[in-house]
Amino acid sequence: MSRGKGGRERGAPGGVAGADRSGDSYLPGHGNGGYRVTHYDLELTCRPSTGRVSGRARISAVAEPGAAGEPLSGFSLDLGAFRVDGVLVDGVRAARYTHRADKLRVRPARPLPAGAPFTVEVRYVGVPRPVKTRHWGDLGWEQLEDGALVAGQPIGAPSWFPCDDHPADKASYRIAVTAPSPYTVVAAGTLESRTSGGSTTTWVYEHPAPMSTYLATVQIGLYDRVELTDAAVSAVPQRAAVPPRLRDRFDHDFARQPRMMAAFEDLFGPYPFDEYAVVVTDDELEVPVEAQTLSVFGANHVDGQRGCERLVAHELAHQWFGNSLSVADWRHIWLNEGFAKYAEWLWSEVSGGAPAAVHATRAHAAMAEQPQDLLVADPGMPRMFDDRVYQRGALTLHALRTALGDDAFFAVLREWTAAHRHATVTTEEFTALAGRHAARPLDELFTAWLYTPRLPELPLSR
C-alpha cells in the first residue's frame, strides 16, 4: 500500500473522485482518500438549553496525486446528521455537494492539482447526535444534564465537525466556541482568548501540534476553574474545570497529579504538549474520556479517597501513548491501551504502591481464566477495546522489561516517544526499536505475546 501523511495506509489513490474510504484495516468507512488535512479552524455557537449548534469549519488541506498523477476532481468529508447550509472550496462555491450517510461529498468547480493546497469551508447547523455503534455504544458529542462533552474515540468526531476521520491524518486546530456566559468551555489546546459580549462568551483555543480527529474535544459546563500547576514538581502547566460541589474531593484526589507528571516525564521523556487539563463532569461517566491535552472524568471518578487514581495515571499516559504517538491503523490499538495500562502499574511502583511485577502477576492470573482467542497485535475491530488488549498489552511490556532490564527498557520508551513525537506508529516499528536495544533476538517474545492467542508464561522478574 502507498502511505500518506504520517504513515497512513490508504486504500484508494489520491486522485480518485470521491475517494471516501481511508484504507484502515478495521474502519475503512471512516476517513477519506485524496487529500491530507493540515489545519482545522472551527467556530461553534452552542445553546446548552436546546443542544443546538451552529458551526463553521474551515479546513486547510493538500491534494494528493492519483496513481497517474491526475488532479483531485472530488473529495469527501465525514459529517453527521447536520443541515449543511453551504460549502466553499478556495472561497468559491462548490459546483456540487451531497450529504448523506454521514459523508459530505464535494466536487470543486475545477479539479485540484496534485500537491496543491486548498481550503474547504462548511457551514452547518443542528443538534449534534452521537455516532451510534454496535460495539462501543454512542460516541462523540453528548448532551449532559447541564452542558455537553465530546468523547470521540474512535469514530465520534463527525458528530460535531466535518473532518477526515482517521487517526493518521493529524492536523493543527483552532477551536472557537460561543456559549452563554455562565458556562465554562474547555477545548483541546491552549486558551488564547475569552471575550464576553451581551449574554455570551467566546472561548478560543489554539493547538499547533498535530492532533487526530478523535482526540479533538469540547467540554461545556458550570465549572470552577482550578489551577493544578506545581512548578516545584513539574514545569508543565496543569489546570482543571470542576463542578463546585466536587471541589473538595477533587482537590484531594488529584493532588498528586503534578508528581505523576514529573514521574512520567522521567520514565517516558518530556511531556509532548504545552499544557494539560482535566475536566470533571457533574454527570457520571462509565469510563474517563481520552482527548489531546486534556482528560475527562465523571463525578463517579472523584470519591475523595483517590479510589480512581490509576485512571488518572492511565489518561495522563495517553498524552504520550495515543496522542503524541498515534496509531497508523486501528489494529495497532495496543500501542495506546497496553502502554497506558502499564503506566498505571508504573505509577503504583514509583508512588509507593505495589510494584509493577505484582500487578503483572495479578493480571496474568486473571487473563489465564479468560478465553485464549485474541491476538494483541491484531484483535479485530469488535474487540479493539477488549480488556485483554489492555492487560495483555501491559503484560507484553512487562515481559519486555524483564528481558531487557530496566535501563534498556526505559531507554526504549524514551527513544520511542522522541523518535515518533507528534507522528504515527505501528507495532512493527516498536518491536524493531526494542530489538535494537536487546542483547539477543526478541522474535520469540513478541511472537508469543503479540501474535499468539495462548497466554504465555509470565517471566520471572529480575
Side-chain angles (χ1 to χ4, degrees):
M1 288 187 179
S2 61
R3 290 187 178 270
K5 178 184 177 185
R8 175 180 179 180
E9 298 174 357
R10 291 182 180 267
V16 175
D20 55 5
R21 295 178 70 81
S22 65
D24 188 89
S25 62
Y26 285 1
L27 297 166
H30 279 259
N32 307 276
Y35 63 92
R36 67 182 188 276
V37 178
T38 57
H39 183 70
Y40 289 93
D41 188 333
L42 309 177
E43 294 184 355
L44 307 177
T45 299
C46 304
R47 299 170 180 83
S49 60
T50 65
R52 188 174 178 84
V53 171
S54 299
R56 180 203 63 83
R58 190 173 188 270
I59 302 166
S60 301
V62 176
E64 292 187 329
E70 67 269 25
L72 184 65
S73 57
F75 59 90
S76 59
L77 294 162
D78 300 291
L79 180 64
F82 291 94
R83 186 186 78 217
V84 176
D85 287 340
V87 178
L88 303 177
V89 177
D90 286 335
V92 178
R93 189 166 299 280
R96 186 166 68 249
Y97 68 87
T98 61
H99 182 214
R100 63 174 67 96
D102 297 335
K103 286 287 185 180
L104 177 61
R105 296 176 174 86
V106 181
R107 186 174 293 274
R110 296 181 180 83
L112 303 167
F118 68 95
T119 61
V120 55
E121 182 175 309
V122 181
R123 294 184 180 272
Y124 57 102
V125 65
V127 176
R129 302 176 188 172
V131 176
K132 294 187 177 299
T133 69
R134 177 181 175 186
H135 304 289
W136 313 304
D138 294 349
L139 305 172
W141 189 285
E142 179 180 346
Q143 197 69 19
L144 298 175
E145 185 77 18
D146 200 353
L149 69 78
V150 172
Q153 190 181 33
I155 53 174
S159 69
W160 66 286
F161 71 102
C163 57
D164 182 22
D165 191 28
H166 189 276
D169 199 2
K170 303 173 74 167
S172 59
Y173 281 72
R174 174 183 177 271
I175 302 174
V177 180
T178 300
S181 292
Y183 289 86
T184 294
V185 175
V186 183
T190 299
L191 180 63
E192 293 295 326
S193 66
R194 182 178 52 162
T195 307
S196 296
S199 61
T200 63
T201 298
T202 299
W203 305 68
V204 179
Y205 287 83
E206 298 274 1
H207 190 43
M211 177 164 61
S212 301
T213 51
Y214 82 90
L215 294 168
T217 193
V218 169
Q219 311 290 325
I220 304 172
L222 298 172
Y223 298 132
D224 282 350
R225 301 174 72 201
V226 180
E227 184 69 38
L228 282 173
T229 306
D230 184 346
V233 178
S234 170
V236 177
Q238 299 176 58
R239 301 180 176 89
V242 184
R245 72 178 183 89
L246 297 175
R247 179 65 187 275
D248 289 344
R249 281 188 272 170
F250 173 85
D251 288 347
H252 179 267
D253 287 2
F254 283 77
R256 301 205 298 178
Q257 185 179 277
R259 182 182 165 196
M260 187 184 294
M261 176 72 77
F264 285 177
E265 287 197 290
D266 181 57
L267 296 171
F268 308 146
Y271 180 71
F273 305 109
D274 292 335
E275 63 179 61
Y276 182 60
V278 167
V279 174
V280 177
T281 72
D282 212 7
D283 298 52
E284 293 192 355
L285 302 179
E286 183 178 355
V287 293
V289 175
E290 171 192 352
Q292 191 151 309
T293 73
L294 67 91
S295 300
V296 185
F297 298 82
N300 52 308
H301 299 129
V302 181
D303 61 8
Q305 300 177 35
R306 295 184 183 146
C308 292
E309 192 174 61
R310 70 173 185 84
L311 300 178
V312 177
H314 186 104
E315 300 307 322
L316 176 58
H318 272 314
Q319 301 306 317
W320 286 265
F321 308 111
N323 300 0
S324 176
L325 278 62
S326 302
V327 292
D329 183 286
W330 282 113
R331 67 184 172 88
H332 305 293
I333 187 65
W334 86 277
L335 293 174
N336 293 7
E337 303 302 347
F339 280 63
K341 170 57 71 173
Y342 197 60
E344 296 178 28
W345 303 352
L346 291 174
W347 170 244
S348 173
E349 182 173 296
V350 302
S351 64
V358 171
H359 287 283
T361 299
R362 293 169 180 167
H364 189 272
M367 289 298 99
E369 300 298 320
Q370 299 295 316
Q372 309 289 305
D373 62 355
L374 180 140
L375 300 181
V376 177
D378 192 1
M381 186 271 287
R383 299 191 294 187
M384 283 168 53
F385 301 107
D386 190 300
D387 188 55
R388 290 172 294 171
V389 174
Y390 294 56
Q391 300 286 353
R392 282 195 57 169
L395 287 169
T396 300
L397 293 174
H398 192 71
L400 177 63
R401 179 182 177 184
T402 303
L404 296 181
D406 279 10
D407 289 348
F409 175 75
F410 289 109
V412 167
L413 295 191
R414 288 188 289 269
E415 183 176 341
W416 179 238
T417 61
H420 300 280
R421 182 181 173 94
H422 301 320
T424 58
V425 290
T426 67
T427 299
E428 294 76 16
E429 288 170 332
F430 179 73
T431 58
L433 171 61
R436 292 196 291 273
H437 285 258
R440 59 181 62 88
L442 298 173
D443 297 27
E444 289 186 7
L445 184 152
F446 286 126
T447 297
W449 284 100
L450 296 176
Y451 298 101
T452 303
R454 185 175 60 83
L455 182 68
E457 292 296 320
L458 186 66
L460 296 176
S461 298
R462 295 183 178 183

